[in-house]
Amino acid sequence: MLTKERVQSFLKEIEVDDLVTNLHVMGNDVYIDMVAHSPAMHEKKKLEVAMKQAFASEFGEETQLKLKITSPELPAQPEIKGKEIKGIKNIIAVASGKGGVGKSTVSANLAVTLAKMGFKVGILDADIYGPSVPTMFDTEGQKPISVEVEGKNLMQPIENYGVKMLSIGYFSGANQAVVWRGPMASKALNQMLRDANWGELDFLLIDLPPGTGDIHLSIIQEVPVTGAVIVSTPQHIALADVRKGIAMFNMESINIPVLGLIENMAYFTPEELPDNKYYIFGNQGAQYMAEDLGIPVLGEIPLIQSIREAGDVGRPAALQEDSKIAAIYTETAQKMIESLVERNKNLPATEAVKITTMAGCSPKKK
Ligand SMILES: Nc1ncnc2c1ncn2[C@@H]1O[C@H](COP(=O)(O)OP(=O)(O)OP(=O)(O)O)[C@@H](O)[C@H]1O
Ligand SMILES: [Mg+2]
């Protein structure tokens, strides 16, 4: 006869007993509540399939497994020391060494993908000199309103596709920003970070401008960034710029973990032959580089005409239901979350770093 003890010892045998929160056996019905290892959706699916197979082969088809799997809460940084931003669990900097490799496109698509997965998401467009978030989210010309929260006037982020956004592009006089010097630019960014009503967010993605210059340093100085995601294209992957970008985060005094590398425009896929992949600039460069640097590859995003068109019309391509590109971005977001979960488990909170000058990395004088 099927007993609770038998099921318990089987769960132990297949090493999932620590995930079980509730177990009943009633006749041939086995009720199990479990919590998956990580918040990534595919963990839940993997566990469900594995449990069903294991039960069928151990107890036979007549046993009915009534399984309820929930995802664990996304662990926030254990504690944010220094200049914390209340309500924001994870701040992720999207960076690259070179310009034009697709940071903004990747940030926008990751943001809408995370929002579709049910997370609360914001994007801060840190590109003071060439903001792209308003166009990419079809929100050009909108103006953030001022709201009063706990006696303070805050700017309300613009929202579209379930993502909250702030960008210098939403403010009048944005075209003057091109002549701003470092300190003005970093002040504007700081205001968008701190004097804004972001509310509760699981992720705030910061779309950084290209390079490793003063904006990067001022952001890193002011914000406890949980981790960085590096974007590169295959033709730039081998170049020193990517290493320089990674090296900036790895510096002892900054010490922001790099969650992984996203290779954008990794291969070309013609719209009419969606299964064909042409590695015009060679393949596996990202894999080699990532192995060499000891960071994971989070995703390979193809060069597809519709990605650019979607960016231009202000509707990130990953929003297309059941499309290949949505699937690729979902997988990439899941890998990023896995890397983040590891990071939050293993490392203490990043402190808001204070940098005065650093060899090879001091704020540029303009
Ligand atoms: N996977 C892709 N397939 C097709 N076009 C893409 C892809 N990724 C980005 N693009 C296009 O490449 C151009 C540059 O992308 P994007 O603006 O995102 O780069 P960036 O790294 O943010 O640039 P910058 O350094 O200027 O901030 C845009 O026109 C964008 O639509
Ligand atoms: Mg950009």
Side-chain angles (χ1 to χ4, degrees):
M1 205 188 73
L2 198 57
T3 61
K4 187 170 173 177
E5 287 67 36
R6 236 188 100 194
V7 175
Q8 261 168 342
S9 75
F10 177 63
L11 291 170
K12 210 167 190 147
E13 205 178 298
I14 59 173
E15 295 180 1
V16 293
D17 52 318
D18 57 326
L19 304 177
V20 174
T21 54
N22 210 351
L23 167 66
H24 301 295
V25 177
M26 282 198 267
N28 278 334
D29 294 343
V30 181
Y31 293 81
I32 300 180
D33 295 348
M34 308 178 84
V35 181
H37 268 300
S38 99
M41 283 306 281
H42 70 129
E43 272 299 319
K44 234 162 100 170
K45 290 235 171 70
K46 235 166 53 186
L47 186 60
E48 189 182 333
V49 171
M51 285 290 290
K52 287 200 168 140
Q53 279 174 353
F55 262 72
S57 68
E58 176 74 11
F59 300 111
E61 296 292 340
E62 68 281 5
T63 306
Q64 290 289 318
L65 177 61
K66 318 267 186 190
L67 195 57
K68 198 171 108 200
I69 304 179
T70 43
S71 296
E73 280 271 305
L74 187 73
Q77 295 200 59
E79 58 184 305
I80 298 179
K81 290 186 210 153
K83 304 174 173 184
E84 69 176 280
I85 301 173
K86 217 176 109 204
I88 304 184
K89 288 190 183 159
N90 291 287
I91 300 181
I92 296 179
V94 181
S96 73
K98 265 263 177 300
V101 296
K103 283 175 303 301
S104 301
T105 308
V106 167
S107 305
N109 281 291
L110 269 182
V112 297
T113 303
L114 289 164
K116 274 200 302 187
M117 289 163 89
F119 293 111
K120 299 194 185 78
V121 188
I123 289 199
L124 174 69
D125 185 352
D127 202 337
I128 297 284
Y129 305 111
S132 42
V133 162
T135 314
M136 287 192 170
F137 283 83
D138 193 21
T139 50
E140 274 172 311
Q142 296 199 28
K143 299 267 169 269
I145 56 164
S146 172
V147 289
E148 200 181 306
V149 182
E150 292 165 8
K152 260 185 97 177
N153 276 327
L154 299 178
M155 47 190 146
Q156 184 63 35
I158 302 290
E159 201 167 333
N160 201 7
Y161 314 128
V163 178
K164 290 182 179 166
M165 306 157 267
L166 278 177
S167 163
I168 199 78
Y170 294 129
F171 298 93
S172 52
N175 40 6
Q176 287 161 7
V178 281
V179 297
W180 286 355
R181 287 163 186 278
M184 273 284 272
S186 92
K187 190 162 166 242
L189 274 179
N190 234 321
Q191 283 180 344
M192 290 196 284
L193 266 171
R194 290 174 195 285
D195 300 340
N197 185 31
W198 290 107
E200 299 278 320
L201 289 183
D202 294 306
F203 298 101
L204 178 68
L205 306 185
I206 302 188
D207 175 13
L208 287 173
T212 44
D214 47 0
I215 296 274
H216 303 79
L217 290 178
S218 73
I219 288 179
I220 294 164
Q221 267 170 336
E222 295 298 334
V223 188
V225 176
T226 323
V229 168
I230 310 287
V231 180
S232 185
T233 57
Q235 60 277 46
H236 293 125
I237 207 108
L239 297 183
D241 302 84
V242 178
R243 286 178 191 273
K244 215 157 107 191
I246 293 172
M248 179 178 79
F249 293 108
N250 280 343
M251 289 171 81
E252 213 177 303
S253 49
I254 294 181
N255 204 15
I256 290 173
V258 175
L259 301 174
L261 186 66
I262 294 180
E263 190 178 21
N264 189 31
M265 315 194 211
Y267 51 87
F268 169 66
T269 292
E271 221 74 48
E272 61 283 8
L273 294 167
D275 294 322
N276 288 26
K277 295 181 176 179
Y278 300 97
Y279 289 90
I280 298 168
F281 295 101
N283 79 10
Q284 297 203 316
Q287 298 287 354
Y288 290 135
M289 172 82 138
E291 268 168 38
D292 191 28
L293 295 164
I295 57 171
V297 175
L298 304 177
E300 291 183 3
I301 319 285
L303 173 71
I304 305 184
Q305 194 173 339
S306 62
I307 293 188
R308 189 190 52 72
E309 288 167 353
D312 291 349
V313 299
R315 200 183 146 75
L319 285 169
Q320 294 163 31
E321 289 298 329
D322 301 325
S323 63
K324 207 157 221 164
I325 192 68
I328 291 171
Y329 266 106
T330 301
E331 206 179 303
T332 305
Q334 281 167 347
K335 291 230 174 87
M336 184 190 85
I337 293 171
E338 278 165 24
S339 184
L340 186 68
V341 169
E342 274 307 297
R343 176 256 177 260
N344 285 351
K345 253 197 318 215
N346 297 331
L347 294 173
T350 308
E351 287 185 52
V353 233
K354 291 179 193 65
I355 310 162
T356 39
T357 49
M358 258 178 311
C361 214
S362 52
K364 255 192 293 191
K365 292 259 177 341
K366 288 235 161 129

